[in-house]
């Protein structure tokens, strides 16, 4: 009986370690957030997101030079909730709910309380690409899952023996 207790105890430890590995790999422990691929608030976007302030633009209220966000409704540049919370205040005052982070080019919807996938949501692609070019001086890399026809063509072009 003691051997069985020891065996089940070690078996439980292995299962728990595997679950911990799963969480680390798939995100529970890493802070991974799955961005949404749709949002009901896209109609509030500015009609001219091809012309945006540069990523080094300081906050319009406090002039803080970093951790700034671009309001995608009116194109104001305001600091994050980790600085002086001017973008959050802006959302509360105006209900302009979609903003792009100049730090990492992520897009956040305050109304949905979630990140949006700017590379998948058609209306957000142009502003994401423009911000990327302004920040890095080159076009962003394209994700393969966006272009299934390219993957299909590559598969067709591969020799059948490989």
């Amino acid at each position: 009986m003691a051997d069985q207790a020891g065996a089940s105890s070690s078996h439980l430890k292995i299962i728990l370690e595997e679950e911990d590995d799963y969480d680390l790999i798939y995100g529970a422990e890493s802070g991974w957030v799955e961005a949404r691929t749709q949002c009901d608030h896209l109609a509030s976007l500015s009609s001219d997101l091809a012309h945006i302030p540069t990523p080094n633009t300081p906050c319009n209220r406090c002039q803080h030079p970093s951790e700034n966000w671009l309001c995608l409704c009116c194109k104001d540049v305001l600091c994050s909730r980790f600085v002086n919370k001017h973008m959050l205040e802006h959302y509360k005052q105006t209900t302009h709910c979609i903003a792009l982070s100049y730090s990492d080019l992520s897009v956040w919807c305050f109304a949905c309380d979630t990140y949006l996938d700017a590379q998948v949501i058609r209306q957000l692609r142009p502003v994401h690409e423009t911000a990327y070019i302004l920040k890095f001086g080159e076009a962003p890399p394209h994700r393969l899952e966006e272009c299934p026809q390219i993957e299909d063509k590559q598969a067709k072009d591969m020799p059948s023996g490989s």
Side-chain angles (χ1 to χ4, degrees):
M1 191 77 160
D3 288 338
Q4 286 180 334
S8 63
S9 160
S10 64
H11 178 68
L12 178 60
K13 183 178 177 187
I14 291 169
I15 290 172
L16 290 175
E17 286 174 357
E18 288 174 359
E19 286 176 3
D20 290 342
D21 291 343
Y22 181 87
D23 287 344
L24 286 172
I25 293 168
Y26 294 103
E29 293 294 322
S30 67
W32 176 262
V33 176
E34 189 71 29
R36 289 180 59 180
T37 57
Q38 57 82 29
C39 174
D40 293 335
H41 305 98
L42 297 173
S44 67
L45 293 173
S46 169
S47 60
D48 180 24
L49 289 174
H51 302 95
I52 59 172
T54 60
N56 60 352
T57 302
C59 174
N60 289 346
R61 293 194 189 154
C62 68
Q63 300 305 307
H64 194 276
S66 60
E67 279 291 322
N68 292 318
W69 289 72
L70 171 66
C71 175
L72 296 182
C73 302
C74 70
K75 301 196 289 187
D76 255 356
V77 175
L78 300 161
C79 62
S80 80
R81 64 183 79 203
F82 301 111
V83 179
N84 291 316
K85 300 181 175 135
H86 288 136
M87 183 56 77
L88 182 60
E89 289 174 9
H90 178 71
Y91 161 65
K92 290 177 179 178
Q93 293 168 354
T94 64
T95 68
H96 292 175
C97 59
I98 303 176
L100 178 136
S101 166
Y102 274 141
S103 295
D104 63 4
L105 304 183
S106 61
V107 176
W108 179 261
C109 178
F110 287 93
C112 293
D113 197 31
T114 191
Y115 286 101
L116 304 178
D117 193 328
Q119 293 179 316
V120 172
I121 299 173
R122 181 184 49 79
Q123 299 94 317
L124 296 175
R125 281 185 200 164
V127 71
H128 180 267
E129 185 169 316
T130 299
Y132 192 100
I133 291 168
L134 289 170
K135 185 169 182 154
F136 299 110
E138 61 185 47
H142 294 286
R143 295 187 344 201
L144 288 178
E145 56 265 71
E146 290 183 77
C147 308
Q149 69 275 11
I150 292 173
E151 291 174 359
D152 291 344
K153 183 181 180 332
Q154 288 174 341
K156 289 178 187 173
D157 292 344
M158 295 279 294
S160 58
S162 32

